[in-house]
Amino acid sequence: MAEKPSRTRPLLVGNWKMNGLRASEAEVSALAKGLDGARADIWLCPPITLLSHFIGAFKGKPLSWGAQDCHAQESGAHTGDVSAEMLADVGAVSVIVGHSERRRDHAETNAMVRSKLSAVQRAGMVAIVCIGETLEERERGDVLPVLEKQLRESLPEEVDGSKTVLAYEPVWAIGTGKVPSGDEIVEVHGFLRERLDACGAAGVPILYGGSLGPSNADWLLRLDNVDGGLIGTASLKASSFLEVIRACQQG
Ligand code: 13P
């Protein structure tokens, strides 16, 4: 299973957020069983309490593992935090940074996201950087300027394409069952692709996230410049995640 981002095969990342107990191992077993012949790379980001155990329990399965956040520093007096080095130490290969829920719940700024990204890459892992506009910003007609600013301020000047994945997650689409139209996604992903190309990061996959699931994976994952998905709710159950994965099989 590829542990480095590539644009030649779809990348589907399951973000479990603050969900999952030890009993959830059964879902991962069912998922792993259904992955034979999958035409996508599958990365799973369970809560930190399960990460190390799952990595051990599913060794050799076609799954790679990630975390949902990390601290920017390597170690030190930061009660409750976890460093990128600690995550790499237990076998994680990626870390989500700048998810809108962390920007909202923990007031994370673009500058903080950028330092976390550096920490993830310093530890040899892939940073999955999330950007996305709120409903208010969309209604003001500010989608592209908002994304441009988040991108410029969250990414370093020189983007390491082998250690970066970008995820476009419109905040209003997360967990709501609403998704932008195909044309809107193509416009945004085309814009992001151009920006990445301009800073020499042509190889960075751009994922779409926000209510991506079995009912829409089929068309969403086929859109231009959509290199895969960042999936919340639908990744919690093996059955729905496998349906999304199968959508990459068709056509
Ligand atoms: P949902 O798939 O539940 O909308 O969540 C998307 C998301 O935030 C993934 O990071």
Side-chain angles (χ1 to χ4, degrees):
M1 181 62 35
E3 295 185 346
K4 293 290 167 208
S6 128
R7 295 195 56 217
T8 54
R9 228 167 112 85
L11 170 61
L12 300 177
V13 182
N15 174 12
W16 277 17
K17 309 188 179 184
M18 197 173 71
N19 296 290
L21 299 171
R22 281 184 299 169
S24 317
E25 188 171 340
E27 289 300 329
V28 186
S29 295
L31 175 67
K33 280 202 188 88
L35 287 180
D36 282 345
R39 287 213 211 130
D41 290 329
I42 314 300
W43 297 3
L44 206 54
C45 303
I48 195 73
T49 47
L50 298 174
L51 182 64
S52 175
H53 172 65
F54 281 0
I55 291 174
F58 295 98
K59 233 183 196 80
K61 300 291 180 196
L63 274 168
S64 293
W65 298 94
Q68 300 172 14
D69 178 50
C70 69
H71 195 278
Q73 289 178 18
E74 197 173 331
S75 61
H78 299 287
T79 302
D81 276 316
V82 170
S83 75
E85 280 73 11
M86 292 169 174
L87 297 168
D89 186 47
V90 296
V93 298
S94 63
V95 182
I96 298 170
V97 294
H99 193 283
S100 61
E101 287 151 12
R102 292 207 60 85
R103 292 176 186 262
R104 180 197 66 203
D105 296 349
H106 300 274
E108 286 193 4
T109 61
N110 291 331
M112 289 158 79
V113 173
R114 189 171 167 152
S115 3
K116 290 184 179 204
L117 172 146
S118 301
V120 172
Q121 298 184 341
R122 175 189 72 211
M125 297 181 290
V126 176
I128 303 168
V129 187
C130 302
I131 58 171
E133 82 285 355
T134 62
L135 187 58
E136 197 195 342
E137 289 162 340
R138 166 161 290 243
E139 284 171 348
R140 278 205 312 261
D142 278 349
V143 175
L144 297 185
V146 162
L147 297 177
E148 203 277 330
K149 180 172 160 59
Q150 287 181 337
L151 197 62
R152 183 166 29 84
E153 294 181 356
S154 305
L155 292 183
E157 257 156 49
E158 295 214 355
V159 177
D160 180 345
S162 69
K163 293 200 192 112
T164 311
V165 169
L166 183 65
Y168 168 53
E169 297 207 306
V171 177
W172 55 272
I174 296 177
T176 59
K178 294 182 188 149
V179 293
S181 70
D183 285 350
E184 287 167 332
I185 296 175
V186 167
E187 185 193 9
V188 166
H189 279 236
F191 170 78
L192 298 174
R193 173 58 56 212
E194 260 175 40
R195 309 303 299 190
L196 288 172
D197 287 359
C199 54
V204 171
I206 308 175
L207 311 184
Y208 169 79
S211 295
L212 172 51
S215 65
N216 54 27
D218 204 27
W219 64 267
L220 272 171
L221 294 172
R222 271 182 183 63
L223 295 172
D224 279 355
N225 289 312
V226 172
D227 301 308
L230 181 54
I231 301 145
T233 314
S235 72
L236 292 172
K237 291 272 164 221
S239 53
S240 46
F241 201 7
L242 285 167
E243 277 190 66
V244 173
I245 294 164
R246 278 184 210 115
C248 298
Q249 237 97 321
Q250 293 147 16

